Amino acid sequence: MKFIVSSSELLKSIQIVNGVIVSNNTLPILDNFLVELKNNNLAITSSDLETTITTNCEVESESENKFTVSSKLLTEIVRSFPEQPLTFKQINETQLEIITEQGKYFISFDKADEYPSTPSISDGEAIEIKGYHLLEAIKNTSFATGNDNLRPVMTGVFFQISEEGFKFVATDAHRLVKYSRSDLKANKSAEFIVPKKSLNILKNIFSTIGDIVITLEYNTTNIKFSFGSTIIISRLIDGKYPNYEAVIPKENPNLLQINRELILNSLKRVSIFSNKTSQLIRIKLVGNSILLNAEDIDYANKAEEKLPCSYSGSDIEIGFNARFLREMISNIQTEDISLELSHPSRAGILRPIGGAEEGEDLLMLMMPLILN
């Protein structure tokens, strides 16, 4: 076996598949890349049994072979080379020689027999979506997913697709984000929950390869994302997603509008003085001003700021988790935002003001904290 490959192209492929490798794999073989050489194509695969990524790059070769190699070692050695051709040559049954302009390097490899097979998507449906649209959906929702393994359905993003449009929902029971696009259509309605890890891997890849068209294939157990020379297959989260529409208040007569940077910077300062356990921040709306207050009684720390705003409604005082509120506002990109409120014990709704594409809608819901 022998093949020649560009060091930069090989590194790009390695960086794509490396995102799924974890440090505590249940199977030692999953610490390796699966490498499949066939004529002038090199396919590299990594897996954690939940998510499998395969990407391809062009090589010069007339050989065919399949083997596994240490992901950590191969990544470190390829990353260290400047752009140049790398020649991989099999020395014996367990060793490869890498020939470069700098010297020769020897790396061991294993047979591919024990590497888990890639899941197949049979009897599934397929749709196409622009990478930009999917990237926006992931960016706007994945941060709000939960980490509680006792409630696995909340550790992923809920996809609802139909002829009317697409909805992407994430919640951790303290906050909820719903990102909708009426300009995306599917011939057949479907609902499924995609793990956050798979979506974050997609997000990292999309940020470097620009706008593309992605094919989504899915059945009851798996989803497959195909784009360019890369395929990502993820196991879906099994379970019924909560009825999120039931927790979204429909009547919210109190409306605050404020500059996003202004309130975000104020929250960053004031929240430093909040209780480290509850991270409670009080928001009081009176007239056309908003008063932010945080206090840590145990250490006698306290902060208060007053900001100008546009407000219509009754005077109201409500408490929120400062970290969650900052994170949600940080994920809104418009210059101004709105906060809709009905009662101190009911959820508040954050929305961007303007800046949305036609058919795009973003709603962020925040559950309040009890004020003493």
Side-chain angles (χ1 to χ4, degrees):
M1 175 186 64
K2 179 181 177 182
F3 62 90
I4 303 173
V5 62
S6 159
S7 60
S8 60
E9 290 302 312
L10 180 58
L11 182 59
K12 286 179 184 178
S13 296
I14 288 174
Q15 288 173 332
I16 288 174
V17 299
N18 211 25
V20 79
I21 301 289
V22 295
S23 58
N24 55 344
N25 277 310
T26 54
L27 300 175
I29 193 71
L30 296 179
D31 292 332
N32 291 1
F33 292 138
L34 172 65
V35 181
E36 298 177 82
L37 174 66
K38 190 172 183 179
N39 298 328
N40 292 318
N41 184 75
L42 190 72
I44 305 175
T45 300
S46 64
S47 176
D48 65 356
L49 297 181
E50 299 290 330
T51 305
T52 301
I53 307 180
T54 299
T55 192
N56 298 270
C57 66
E58 293 185 2
V59 299
E60 294 180 24
S61 178
E62 296 179 356
S63 306
E64 289 188 17
N65 203 351
K66 183 188 292 188
F67 58 92
T68 70
V69 63
S70 167
S71 60
K72 182 179 180 180
L73 185 56
L74 186 62
T75 301
E76 288 181 350
I77 186 63
V78 174
R79 184 183 288 141
S80 69
F81 294 129
E83 165 55 26
Q84 62 181 294
L86 305 179
T87 301
F88 287 75
K89 185 177 180 182
Q90 183 175 353
I91 301 301
N92 52 46
E93 293 296 318
T94 61
Q95 200 170 43
L96 286 173
E97 179 185 20
I98 306 174
I99 304 172
T100 73
E101 295 174 358
Q102 289 78 19
K104 297 180 179 180
Y105 313 85
F106 298 88
I107 182 172
S108 62
F109 68 92
D110 297 310
K111 293 182 179 180
D113 302 347
E114 297 181 7
Y115 204 86
S117 58
T118 301
S120 61
I121 309 292
S122 58
D123 302 323
E125 300 292 330
I127 55 175
E128 287 189 346
I129 181 173
K130 288 184 178 179
Y132 168 76
H133 290 157
L134 186 57
L135 176 60
E136 285 299 300
I138 296 170
K139 285 164 57 178
N140 281 301
T141 56
S142 61
F143 75 92
T145 57
N147 298 309
D148 187 356
N149 291 326
L150 297 177
R151 294 186 286 185
V153 295
M154 292 187 180
T155 64
V157 175
F158 183 47
F159 283 48
Q160 281 185 304
I161 61 178
S162 68
E163 295 179 353
E164 285 73 40
F166 283 34
K167 295 179 182 178
F168 307 86
V169 182
T171 182
D172 60 2
H174 303 288
R175 53 187 172 168
L176 181 146
V177 180
K178 181 177 74 170
Y179 179 76
S180 307
R181 296 205 70 107
S182 60
D183 55 343
L184 301 180
K185 311 290 184 182
N187 295 327
K188 188 175 181 181
S189 297
E191 297 180 351
F192 45 83
I193 308 169
V194 184
K196 175 169 61 176
K197 178 179 178 178
S198 304
L199 295 176
N200 283 338
I201 290 171
L202 276 167
K203 181 177 69 174
N204 293 335
I205 296 173
F206 294 161
S207 63
T208 60
I209 61 178
D211 195 21
I212 52 174
V213 174
I214 302 165
T215 300
L216 275 65
E217 298 176 65
Y218 55 90
N219 56 19
T220 56
T221 56
N222 294 288
I223 185 167
K224 177 180 178 182
F225 302 90
S226 305
F227 50 95
S229 59
T230 301
I231 293 173
I232 299 179
I233 299 177
S234 173
R235 184 179 298 173
L236 297 174
I237 297 175
D238 186 30
K240 184 174 177 59
Y241 206 75
N243 179 13
Y244 64 88
E245 291 287 357
V247 302
I248 301 176
K250 306 304 179 187
E251 299 293 331
N252 303 286
N254 305 307
L255 177 63
L256 161 73
Q257 294 182 330
I258 192 168
N259 178 270
R260 188 185 74 91
E261 285 291 335
L262 181 66
I263 190 170
L264 183 59
N265 290 331
S266 180
L267 282 168
K268 288 177 180 177
R269 290 188 295 268
V270 175
S271 63
I272 295 171
F273 296 84
S274 65
N275 180 276
K276 302 311 175 189
T277 302
S278 67
Q279 299 196 46
L280 169 66
I281 190 163
R282 294 170 180 260
I283 295 178
K284 188 173 183 178
L285 295 165
V286 180
N288 282 324
S289 64
I290 176 173
L291 187 67
L292 303 179
N293 179 289
E295 184 176 11
D296 190 344
I297 297 175
D298 295 337
Y299 296 95
N301 297 327
K302 185 177 181 179
E304 186 177 283
E305 286 194 18
K306 187 176 182 180
L307 305 174
C309 66
S310 173
Y311 179 65
S312 61
S314 306
D315 293 354
I316 190 172
E317 186 173 14
I318 191 169
F320 290 116
N321 180 295
R323 180 175 67 85
F324 288 166
L325 188 57
R326 288 200 320 269
E327 192 170 20
M328 295 176 80
I329 294 176
S330 296
N331 277 276
I332 297 177
Q333 303 302 317
T334 56
E335 184 176 350
D336 298 315
I337 62 172
S338 69
L339 175 61
E340 304 169 19
L341 301 168
S342 59
H343 189 271
S345 63
R346 301 196 69 190
I349 295 177
L350 277 169
R351 296 182 188 269
I353 297 178
E357 295 182 1
E358 185 176 351
E360 181 185 35
D361 182 67
L362 176 63
L363 178 150
M364 295 184 174
L365 178 146
M366 184 78 180
M367 297 302 295
L369 298 179
I370 297 174
L371 295 176
N372 295 326

